[in-house]
Structure formats: C-alpha cells, structure tokens
Amino acid sequence: MPAPFSLHLNPNKKGTMIMKRRRLLWTGLLLAGLTHLAHGQAPVARWNLGEDDPGAAAGLAGNAVTTDAVGDADLTAFGGPVYTDTTPGGESTLAMVFDGQSFYQGSVDGNGAPLDQLYGRIDWNNVSLVCDVYPTALGTAGFSFPVSVGYNGAGIGILEIEGKWHVIHQGVAISPPGPDVVLNQWTHLELVRRDFGDGVETRLYINGAGEPAAILTGAPNTPTDFFTIGANELASRTPGDVEGQFQGFIDNVALIDLNAGQPPSLSRIAVSPGTIYEGNSLILSAEGFKGDPTDLQFIWRKDGQEVANTGDVPQWVLAGVTAADAGQYDVLVRNAYGEATSDPVEVVVEPSGGAEVAWYRMGDDDPEAFPGGGGAWVTQDALGGPGLEVFGIPLYSDDTPPDGGGYSMEFLGDSYYRNLDMSPVFDQLDLNNFSLSADVKVTELGPDGFSFVVSLGQQTRESSGFGILEVGGRWRLVHQMIALSPPGPEVVLNEWTHLELQRRQFGEVVETRLFVNGVDAGVSIVQGPNPQTMARVLTVGANTLADPAEVEGTFRGLIDNVRLKNYSAGRPPELVSDLTAEPSSVLVEGDTLVLVAQAQGDAPLTFSWQRDGEVLKTEEVASGAFGFLRIDQLTVDQAGDYQVVVSNAAGEASSSVVRVTVLPAGSPRPGLSLRFRLGDDDPGAAPGAPGNPVTVDTTGDWELVANGSPLYSDATPGGGSALCLSFDGASYCEGVGETWDALFAAFDWDHVVLSFDVNITAPGDAGFSFPVSVGGELTGLAIFEEAGHWRLLHHGVGYSQVGPEVQYNTWTHLELRRMNFGNGVETRLFVDGVDAGIANTTRLNLPKGRLTVGNNIHTTGPEGFFHGMVDNVELFTY
C-alpha cells in the first residue's frame, strides 16, 4: 500500500519544503482512502524520526533531540533509541528503533516553550494523531504505547493491549479492542478526534481504512505535560515510570489540526451575569467556536452596529453598564477562510445595581471619629444594620478613595473588625447571587505571605465562606478555605483600588468572580457546596475563614466602603431542574414516591405541590436548592397527574406534569426482579425436612444453593405463605456465579429494593447477624442486626446509624430502598412499611453477583451467621 507520510526533507530547505510536505501528505491521505478528513489540513508538528536530525544514519544512536520538521517542538531522547533504514517506504530513509526501554518526549512546563505554544493553539476536540509503526514484539507489561499526548489522567493515545490496537482517554477510558497487531510489518495508525455527527468521539483508523477500527466516546481532559513516542505517560502513577514501552520501529509521527483551513462556526452567545443591573459589568462570551484560528476576530454588535472588536478573544466585558446598553447583541466571528454570525441575544438592564444590604463607611458613621484616633469599639453600618466589633487598634484616617467620604480605616497588621452574627444582613442575601466589595489602599504586603481584605463566613461551619485576599503580591479569591482562585492582577501599593467579589450565574454555572476597578480580572472559583449554610460572619482586615483564634493574614493598609449587595431582588422563579419522579413514575402499592424539582430566583421560593390540581403541600426553599414531595405507603388512589408551581413576589413558574401510575399490591413490576418464597416453590419441601440442595425462585430460573442444614418450617408470616426456611447459626443459602454477575450488571442500583420477612430467634454469635445480603467483599448492600438493633451496610465499610430494636420471636418485614429521597441517592431502611429514619449515603460500588440468605458475605469469614427464619426474599429494580 502507499505510505502517505513517507517524506524526506532537506534540512537546509526547511522553510521551502513545508508546502510540499502538505501536498504530499494529502496526496497520500486521498490515495489511502481517508475520506473522513478534509483536504487542506496540515500537521502542526511532525517528527520524521531521522530525516531531519543532523548527522543521523542507520545504526547510530538517536540524537539527543529529534527535530520537528514543521515547527520547533523538538523531542528529547531517553534510553537508547537507534536509527534504522527499515522504513515504511516513500521518501522516508530512516526510522527509529525502540528497544522497550527507550522513548522520545517533550514536556509542557508553562514557560512558553514551543510545545507549550503548540498545545495552546490546538482544539483537542478537532485533532488527529498519526504514526507509522513496525512492532517486533508485544509489550512486556501486557500493553505498549507507540504515541501518547498528555500525562496522568489527561490526554489521548494509541496503544496495544494483549495484541490488539486500542485508543485511550485520560489513562482510564479505553476503547473496545480493535484489529490484531501485526508483528514485523509496517502499519499506519491514525487517531482522529472530532464531532462525527453524534458528538465528539475518538476514532482509530488503520492503514487508511474508511471505517474506524475502534471508537471511544466521552470528552478527554485537556492534555498537559508531555508528548511521548514509544512509552506510556497516560496512566496515573509516578512520573518516569514508563511501563508500556514499545518494542519495534516508529516513523512519521504527526499532530494534525483538523480546524486548519476551516471557516468559523460557534454555538451561541452566553450573557453573564444572569441579571444585569446598572453599574454592573456585562460579560458576553462566544461559546462553541470551531475553525481555523488564522486572522481570527470576534466583532461584537449591538442592534446591528459594531461596538467592540476583541481580536481572537471570544469574550467582551463592558464595565459600568447603563440603561442605554440594553438591546440585541450578536457577534460576527471571522477568520482567513470565512465568517459566521451568532443568533442575537436580548440584554435587559435593570434600573438598580442590586439591593444594598450593608455599607460600612469605616468611620463616617461612627460617633466621635477623628483622624489618627483609635477605631471605635463598634464601627457602624450606614444602613442601620449590625455593626462590626473592633479587635486590636485600627486607626481612623482622612486618606480616602475619590468618593470615600470623610474617613477610612487604617489597619496595622494586628487589628481587624468582625461580627459573628450577621443574621439581619444574611437574611436579605441570596448567597448564590450577591457581591462583596471594598476600597483598599495597601501599604505593605502580608507578612505571612498573604493578607485578607474582607471575608464572609468562618471555619466553624464546614470551612465555608468567601474572601478577597492578597497572596504573594497578587489579588485572589478564596472559597471555603480550600478553593483558591488563580492569581489575579498585581497589588499596587499606596494607591486606592476598588475590589469586588461577585457570586452570580455567569453563563451556565454559578461561580465567584473578582472585579478590579470595575473590570473582570479573569479569575474565578466554581468549587464548593451550596454556600447557603455558611456561618454568618463578616470580617474586615483579617482572615477568619480559618480557626477564629488565629488571625494570620491580617491586612496592612487602608480600607473603606465595605458593601454587601443582593442581586436576586425582583428575579422571578426559573426551574433549572424539571419535575422528576423517584424511583419511577410506575409504582406498586406500598412503595415510596418522591417528586424532586430545583428552581432559582428571588428567595425565598414557595414550592406548591399538586396532584390533579389539588395542593398537597407547600414549602419555602432557598434559591438554587431542591424541593421535594415524598409519599410513603403509596396507595392506588394516589395515582394521578403531579406538578409543582414555584412562586415568589416577582412571579411564578410551573413544572411539566408527571403522570404517576400505582399498581395494586402484588402486581408484577416493570423492572428486573426475583423472589424466593423459600420453600413454597421447592419440589418435595415439607415442614421439618432439611432444605433442598437448592431453593428456587418463583420463576424457577434462579437457584440458591444450601450450605449447612437449613430446615423448612411452617411457622410463616402468613399471607398465603406455606413454608419458610429456618437457619441455625451455621447454615445459609447462596446464589453466585457468572449468571448472577450478568443479572446484577443489568440492575439499576440507584433504583433498587431488597425486602424480606424475618423472625429472629437469637442474636448473632459474632455480635451481629445478616438475614440477607447482596454483593461481595467491599461491594453490595445488606440489612443486618447488631447488638439487638437493625442497621444498613454498604460494601463492608459504610454503616448507617443505629436503627430500631430487633423484635425477637415475631415476624418483621424489612425493606432496603435505594433511590433519590429528595437530597440525592441514598439507601434507607423501612420496618413493617415505615421509614425507620436511618440512611446510608456512601457511594455504592457495583455489587458482585452474589445473593446470600442467612449469612454475611461482605467479609472473607462466615461470621454474622443468622439464627431464625426468613421468607419472601425479593430483589427488584425500577
């Protein structure tokens, strides 16, 4: 076959040969039938592995670096690769021999080196990675990598696993096996990542075939750190541990930008924040750009007229918005190959810059303040709210910002103001839609390497809170003392600066952003739980997001005009998560129904839950939080059309209608299920007789094998049951094997119920006992008795709280239900149909294919044997 990447470049004519190389490249691609690529795309990096290396000759050790024939991203040799004249043909005269202990690599270290620049301009959802390979032996570790991009949980690569070609994402997501690796023969491999019509995929093509050899879906992390030929750097492990090294020859490795020569396209404009107020900043972002970056320009228009050109930056920030800035906005994106225009978006500007809920003018409102005097015991809120208590000796100053009034406050690095109960202010704040701002004049950087201007919250509650701080001479944001933003602009000493922390809906997500002198500083934080639970503390001049007894990070300089604003005033409700029914909209009498919805808007929001138009429940819910309606012991007459209407003072929003069907008790369930009546379905079973070698379920398809000597008994829970099984503390029944693995793999373990009837006659000999358990070591679910109380267990490590007392010598109906009970998926215990109030929220590992009655299989030993009777074991999923 043709060798489409077999090129020879005269190193003295590098500049004049690039276009020839591109033409030859695409001639080869078309000859090979690679119709999935578009003509005109060209490598952004290419390593011919010999032809471009000075002094290279067959049999010699590889140069210290192998040269990039297109750009400057040269790769460094590790180990002892050797040049060879065994090549894939065409114009190639040399290839490289890798002995399983050698490789070539370039690193990305953020210093602006050529590989840094190369990675920065590649769209990793529109890229191709190609190479010619000649394997002489399979990987000694069971796998080997010819080429990989990235490191440790980020990136893409082509690899061989046990003699089959694959593609890989992030070191963990591996495609299905492709064709066999052919030893001692040249093979052309091409990894192509792009949107093939059904979303972005990574596909592997072999020898130019028109159909992919392997496909991998799912977005990769952006590759970082390395480009590697001949070894594995994608697995999560210690750097330098390069198991998976390649044995054989490699040639013509190239990275191809599939956007090259393509006209622009984009998906939409995002407007941030969600509500724009006068005096705030408007942020317009062009999302989903694709196309060649050559001569790229984003031209922003209002009502058809150009208002800004941000060059190749797909975002425009307009500070100090006024009512005149309202209107229809779009963006014209243009490159060297064409242009495209977004759909317009409507920008509405509200007449207020948010509702001001606190304003500390740091002296102007304090009785008897004078320049040079010590700060009052309490500095007052200009709006009449709670004051801030002094710690240390800050001083009043008449050095104020341009609009700062008569005074500011000078902090000397050992003083600050704080209030531990800001409830009157917090009650007016939507903490997903607020701002915290201050004017500052820094006279000296923090002696601890950092200093805090203002902070909300305190470590006493989940380390929650927000703050603006200086770290190493740069402004940053902090969230919950653990999420630190990237560095922002440099701190300017002895000059007034206006800082503003905004937590708003910027685009698709709620995030915290920093604005410096009214301009978005480009740093943000999106991590952390809902901050509505944070401690109601405000601190000026020190860090109290850490232990309150410690004030490291105290501020040196002047502070004025500390303000808190609420931005949700007047915002009507919006459903951000429509009404859903858990675990299903088709249920059986006795089940639990949970309806869940999520909304945002002006808090508090009122959720009105309705069935067939009749109001069943109303509740007040914070903006961004979930509301839910739960009905236990569902009955047939509770079927109907359910809906929730969310309202506040600004309006209301209605969910879609969910029709809930309730089947009569005992009806077949629509999902997977199995039921063991423990005797009633076993041939020849009789009271007092030993349990059959197997006990069968009601369908006859599933069997539990007896171990020890369980006995049939007619002491049943009633309800038509004729027999049960009695366990003596040294016997049990178990189903295990490949068929059980397959059954469990088909279960939805986030919507599952395990139930049974139990009559316990004595506590477990080991201090606990298991009537029924599902799974295996470190996997699965169980209800068990411990010290005379019922509890839940997750895969041998996650215990619930202590539940109700065990009632000995009486029948009890137990159910383990796993579903979303309104606060996310959890496992709950029901006793005789009533929620016992105990739950386990541990993440569930996929249970192994094993069901055991009368014993604990969550550990390797048989401790946890059960004394008593069990009947009607049922496991089903919705």
Side-chain angles (χ1 to χ4, degrees):
M1 61 160 270
F5 294 95
S6 301
L7 304 175
H8 177 68
L9 176 65
N10 184 337
N12 296 321
K13 297 182 179 180
K14 183 174 181 179
T16 62
M17 289 298 295
I18 291 178
M19 290 308 299
K20 177 182 178 182
R21 182 179 310 285
R22 293 179 177 175
R23 289 194 296 271
L24 289 170
L25 166 67
W26 283 101
T27 300
L29 285 175
L30 295 173
L31 286 172
L34 294 183
T35 57
H36 54 282
L37 296 179
H39 183 68
Q41 292 146 343
V44 293
R46 179 178 174 80
W47 298 274
N48 294 318
L49 297 180
E51 281 91 347
D52 304 292
D53 301 349
L60 296 181
N63 286 5
V65 297
T66 190
T67 303
D68 177 3
V70 175
D72 300 313
D74 299 339
L75 304 179
T76 302
F78 294 84
V82 175
Y83 295 115
T84 178
D85 55 7
T86 302
T87 70
E91 295 187 19
S92 179
T93 58
L94 293 172
M96 190 67 69
V97 182
F98 297 90
D99 58 4
Q101 298 187 27
S102 54
F103 57 99
Y104 272 100
Q105 189 173 80
S107 64
V108 174
D109 51 20
N111 63 2
L115 199 60
D116 295 45
Q117 298 176 33
L118 175 66
Y119 277 24
R121 66 176 184 266
I122 290 178
D123 175 1
W124 293 100
N125 286 328
N126 287 281
V127 70
S128 177
L129 173 64
V130 299
C131 61
D132 292 315
V133 300
Y134 186 108
T136 55
L138 301 181
T140 54
F143 64 98
S144 62
F145 276 70
V147 288
S148 61
V149 181
Y151 167 72
N152 251 26
I156 53 179
I158 303 172
L159 77 156
E160 163 268 319
I161 303 178
E162 296 180 348
K164 300 274 189 182
W165 292 117
H166 296 67
V167 286
I168 186 172
H169 271 174
Q170 308 164 21
V172 291
I174 299 174
S175 72
D180 287 342
V181 173
V182 180
L183 297 180
N184 302 309
Q185 179 176 309
W186 282 102
T187 302
H188 179 68
L189 303 176
E190 182 168 4
L191 178 158
V192 180
R193 179 160 178 82
R194 67 184 312 175
D195 188 340
F196 286 89
D198 296 320
V200 176
E201 296 177 341
T202 304
R203 296 187 173 189
L204 177 64
Y205 295 84
I206 295 181
N207 290 331
E211 294 296 327
I215 299 176
L216 179 61
T217 58
N221 297 331
T222 300
T224 57
D225 293 305
F226 295 121
F227 187 96
T228 309
I229 301 175
N232 167 32
E233 287 289 358
L234 283 182
S236 295
R237 46 178 180 63
T238 304
D241 180 5
V242 288
E243 78 278 3
Q245 288 182 292
F246 178 80
Q247 298 183 81
F249 313 153
I250 301 178
D251 200 6
N252 303 318
V253 179
L255 265 173
I256 299 173
D257 180 5
L258 300 182
N259 281 327
Q262 299 301 303
S265 65
L266 47 82
S267 56
R268 66 173 197 139
I269 296 179
V271 181
S272 301
T275 305
I276 308 298
Y277 295 92
E278 285 185 318
N280 204 231
S281 293
L282 166 66
I283 306 172
L284 297 178
S285 301
E287 297 187 343
F289 168 77
K290 296 179 182 178
D292 195 303
T294 305
D295 299 333
L296 185 61
Q297 288 186 318
F298 289 89
I299 301 166
W300 303 90
R301 305 187 298 189
K302 173 181 176 285
D303 299 329
Q305 300 298 312
E306 180 177 339
V307 290
N309 185 328
T310 56
D312 60 359
V313 178
Q315 187 180 80
W316 177 46
V317 179
L318 176 61
V321 170
T322 68
D325 293 312
Q328 295 272 342
Y329 286 82
D330 64 14
V331 63
L332 172 68
V333 56
R334 179 181 292 149
N335 67 8
Y337 302 92
E339 62 183 38
T341 304
S342 73
D343 292 333
V345 294
E346 179 78 19
V347 172
V348 177
V349 179
E350 300 291 342
S352 166
E356 198 158 47
V357 297
W359 181 13
Y360 297 94
R361 299 195 295 175
M362 308 307 292
D364 294 36
D365 303 288
D366 301 351
E368 300 180 2
F370 63 92
W377 177 253
V378 173
T379 190
Q380 304 295 322
D381 175 14
L383 305 182
L388 303 180
E389 182 181 350
V390 72
F391 292 81
I393 308 177
L395 302 175
Y396 292 117
S397 172
D398 56 6
D399 183 353
T400 68
D403 57 351
Y407 296 101
S408 64
M409 189 69 70
E410 183 177 5
F411 298 88
L412 306 176
D414 56 0
S415 54
Y416 59 97
Y417 274 98
R418 182 177 68 190
N419 189 313
L420 293 174
D421 185 9
M422 294 288 291
S423 292
V425 171
F426 274 57
D427 287 341
Q428 302 175 66
L429 281 181
D430 172 1
L431 289 172
N432 284 322
N433 212 3
F434 80 100
S435 71
L436 171 64
S437 62
D439 293 313
V440 301
K441 184 176 184 179
V442 184
T443 56
E444 186 179 339
L445 301 181
D448 295 298
F450 65 99
S451 60
F452 273 72
V453 179
V454 286
S455 61
L456 281 181
Q458 196 170 12
Q459 192 182 30
T460 51
R461 188 176 299 170
E462 299 177 359
S463 296
S464 63
F466 300 95
I468 304 174
L469 73 159
E470 163 266 319
V471 181
R474 290 187 177 271
W475 293 118
R476 302 180 83 161
L477 296 172
V478 68
H479 188 180
Q480 306 160 311
M481 274 310 295
I482 51 174
L484 192 64
S485 75
E490 288 188 7
V491 173
V492 180
L493 296 179
N494 301 308
E495 181 177 303
W496 282 101
T497 302
H498 181 69
L499 303 175
E500 185 169 8
L501 176 159
Q502 288 192 22
R503 181 162 174 84
R504 308 281 297 281
Q505 177 149 353
F506 290 96
E508 293 297 314
V509 297
V510 173
E511 63 180 306
T512 309
R513 299 189 71 90
L514 174 65
F515 291 76
V516 178
N517 292 327
V519 178
D520 190 337
V523 297
S524 66
I525 295 175
V526 295
Q527 299 103 308
N530 188 324
Q532 300 287 5
T533 60
M534 62 187 276
R536 297 183 162 201
V537 176
L538 171 62
T539 306
V540 179
N543 168 26
T544 53
L545 290 178
D547 186 330
E550 299 178 7
V551 289
E552 78 279 3
T554 46
F555 176 81
R556 299 191 179 197
L558 295 91
I559 300 178
D560 200 6
N561 297 317
V562 176
R563 299 174 188 249
L564 276 165
K565 291 184 179 181
N566 183 45
Y567 284 100
S568 65
R571 187 163 60 113
E574 176 189 4
L575 282 158
V576 294
S577 178
D578 203 3
L579 186 63
T580 56
E582 288 283 341
S584 169
S585 61
V586 179
L587 301 167
V588 175
E589 275 194 300
D591 284 348
T592 294
L593 168 67
V594 178
L595 296 162
V596 184
Q598 182 188 23
Q600 62 185 14
D602 186 9
L605 302 173
T606 299
F607 280 53
S608 176
W609 297 94
Q610 304 176 10
R611 181 183 68 239
D612 298 331
E614 178 185 355
V615 176
L616 304 177
K617 170 189 171 184
T618 60
E619 60 178 339
E620 286 193 352
V621 177
S623 178
F626 285 90
F628 69 95
L629 171 68
R630 172 172 162 175
I631 303 175
D632 290 316
Q633 292 290 300
L634 200 62
T635 62
V636 170
D637 61 5
Q638 289 172 311
D641 290 338
Y642 285 81
Q643 189 177 33
V644 64
V645 177
V646 186
S647 61
N648 63 9
E652 67 177 36
S654 298
S655 74
S656 60
V657 174
V658 172
R659 174 158 295 178
V660 176
T661 301
V662 184
L663 304 175
S667 298
R669 295 184 178 276
L672 295 168
S673 66
L674 63 159
R675 182 182 182 194
F676 292 91
R677 298 193 293 180
L678 296 181
D680 293 32
D681 303 291
D682 301 350
N692 286 359
V694 295
T695 187
V696 297
D697 86 321
T698 53
T699 67
D701 296 330
W702 299 95
E703 299 177 344
L704 302 179
V705 177
N707 290 268
S709 301
L711 301 176
Y712 293 116
S713 170
D714 57 4
T716 68
S721 178
L723 295 172
C724 65
L725 272 177
S726 177
F727 299 89
D728 58 4
S731 56
Y732 61 97
C733 294
E734 182 177 67
V736 66
E738 292 182 0
T739 56
W740 286 86
D741 287 336
L743 174 70
F744 281 14
F747 268 54
D748 178 359
W749 292 99
D750 284 342
H751 300 89
V752 70
V753 173
L754 170 65
S755 67
F756 54 89
D757 295 311
V758 61
N759 186 328
I760 188 166
T761 57
D765 297 330
F768 61 95
S769 62
F770 279 69
V772 182
S773 57
V774 175
E777 182 73 16
L778 300 182
T779 73
L781 301 162
I783 303 172
F784 70 109
E785 164 268 325
E786 183 179 41
H789 286 264
W790 293 117
R791 298 181 76 169
L792 295 172
L793 178 72
H794 265 180
H795 46 80
V797 291
Y799 291 83
S800 73
Q801 309 96 317
V802 176
E805 288 187 7
V806 173
Q807 301 299 311
Y808 293 98
N809 300 305
T810 185
W811 282 100
T812 302
H813 181 68
L814 301 178
E815 290 189 43
L816 177 159
R817 301 185 189 177
R818 181 167 169 80
M819 55 182 277
N820 181 358
F821 286 90
N823 294 306
V825 174
E826 60 181 325
T827 307
R828 300 189 70 87
L829 174 65
F830 288 74
V831 179
D832 290 327
V834 177
D835 190 339
I838 65 172
N840 194 312
T841 58
T842 310
R843 183 182 61 84
L844 182 67
N845 294 335
L846 178 66
K848 296 178 182 177
R850 180 175 291 180
L851 172 63
T852 302
V853 180
N855 183 29
N856 167 26
I857 45 75
H858 287 80
T859 62
T860 54
E863 78 280 3
F865 275 136
F866 174 78
H867 294 255
M869 293 168 280
V870 181
D871 200 8
N872 300 316
V873 177
E874 190 169 8
L875 179 67
F876 60 86
T877 184
Y878 290 92

